[in-house]
Amino acid sequence: MLGFLTRPLHRLLSLLCPGLRIPRLSVLCAQPRPRAMAISSSSCKLPLVAVCQVTSTPDKQQNFKTCAELVREAARLGACLAFLPEAFDFIARDPAETLRLSEPLGGKLLEEYTQLARECGLWLSLGGFHERGRDWEQTQKIYNCHVLLNSKGAVVATYRKTHLCDVEIPGQGPMCESNSTMPGPSLESPVSTPAGKIGLAVCYDMRFPELSLALAQAGAEILTYPSAFGSVTGPAHWEPVSS
């Protein structure tokens, strides 16, 4: 599913997570037309941003194919930046499979996304990449890494999720992200993009207002919370906080 946001930057406070309603497409700014015309047209002065929703599986190549189709459609409609959700790369069946499927930032999968950004000529927010960090050999744990690529495919920012989701889910037992994931060490300074200055966060971070305040005070115009909440955690966390 592909949605477009064309609201003024000071009103664009957060992005959507899977399962939530997508704003209607703007008839003025989202109708098909050549990209250059869509970006520079005087009839559409606000930047066009695409929010892509996918249901990830353990099949990384199939997930990439799905994401690539949405990103190419966003580029065709004139978006300058496309957002993909947390766990856009895959969602495994168990923690052991998560660790096995994870890759470093310099791996094959991220290279495919850098090529996609170059091909489409737009920025990509990769909302939650299962990253094998430099300490992988010592920890055997990964990072939940929000990666921002520019339109040339270069990595311009990485933020590793600091607040891990360790919760008891009624009827399902514990969900402990920290069993397989390391918390990130720090925040990332807001990044200037064609859509505005973006502050990077991930999913459960939204429960901690200090992070949002720090990013806003550092100049962020858009706060991003790419998420992969489930049927229980979504209503419990995303809906009350974002409403």
Side-chain angles (χ1 to χ4, degrees), residues 69 124 148:
E69 289 175 355
L124 288 180
L148 188 63

Side-chain angles (χ1 to χ4, degrees), residues 5-235:
L5 304 177
T6 57
R7 289 171 288 177
L9 294 178
H10 69 277
R11 296 178 59 195
L12 185 55
L13 298 181
S14 62
L15 298 178
L16 307 178
C17 72
L20 293 184
R21 293 186 297 274
I22 293 286
R24 292 179 297 172
L25 297 189
S26 165
V27 176
L28 175 62
C29 299
Q31 61 186 13
R33 71 183 98 182
R35 280 195 64 247
M37 184 177 179
I39 292 174
S40 61
S41 171
S42 60
S43 64
C44 181
K45 295 186 180 299
L46 295 177
L48 188 65
V49 172
V51 179
C52 308
Q53 294 192 10
V54 299
T55 301
S56 295
T57 72
D59 188 336
K60 292 192 286 186
Q61 282 306 305
Q62 182 58 47
N63 296 336
F64 173 74
K65 180 180 178 182
T66 300
C67 290
E69 289 175 355
L70 292 172
V71 170
R72 291 187 178 110
E73 178 68 2
R76 186 181 71 82
L77 295 174
C80 64
L81 192 155
F83 291 89
L84 293 174
E86 181 185 28
F88 69 94
D89 51 351
F90 66 86
I91 290 183
R93 287 167 282 243
D94 54 60
E97 186 177 45
T98 295
L99 295 176
R100 180 175 61 81
L101 293 175
S102 63
E103 297 185 18
L105 290 181
K108 176 184 175 182
L109 186 61
L110 198 65
E111 175 59 27
E112 290 182 303
Y113 280 95
T114 63
Q115 292 176 6
L116 179 65
R118 287 196 296 267
E119 170 200 326
C120 295
L122 83 173
W123 287 57
L124 288 180
S125 164
L126 307 178
F129 178 75
H130 296 86
E131 179 205 0
R132 290 191 185 186
R134 295 179 181 179
D135 55 0
W136 164 255
E137 295 295 333
Q138 292 75 37
T139 66
Q140 293 295 295
K141 290 187 177 184
I142 59 175
Y143 292 95
N144 190 340
C145 186
H146 188 162
V147 183
L148 188 63
L149 305 177
N150 67 17
S151 57
K152 296 181 180 179
V155 176
V156 296
T158 55
Y159 163 72
R160 294 164 180 86
K161 184 179 179 183
T162 56
H163 301 100
L164 303 182
C165 190
D166 289 357
V167 297
E168 288 281 343
I169 301 177
Q172 298 182 27
M175 182 179 73
C176 296
E177 188 176 14
S178 62
N179 284 347
S180 59
T181 306
M182 296 285 289
S186 61
L187 300 184
E188 178 72 20
S189 297
V191 181
S192 294
T193 77
K197 206 165 186 179
I198 291 180
L200 303 180
V202 178
C203 197
Y204 194 56
D205 282 331
M206 72 183 307
R207 272 291 184 184
F208 302 88
E210 295 84 0
L211 183 150
S212 302
L213 290 171
L215 290 173
Q217 290 168 358
E221 298 169 304
I222 304 171
L223 302 180
T224 59
Y225 294 96
S227 301
F229 281 123
S231 59
V232 175
T233 56

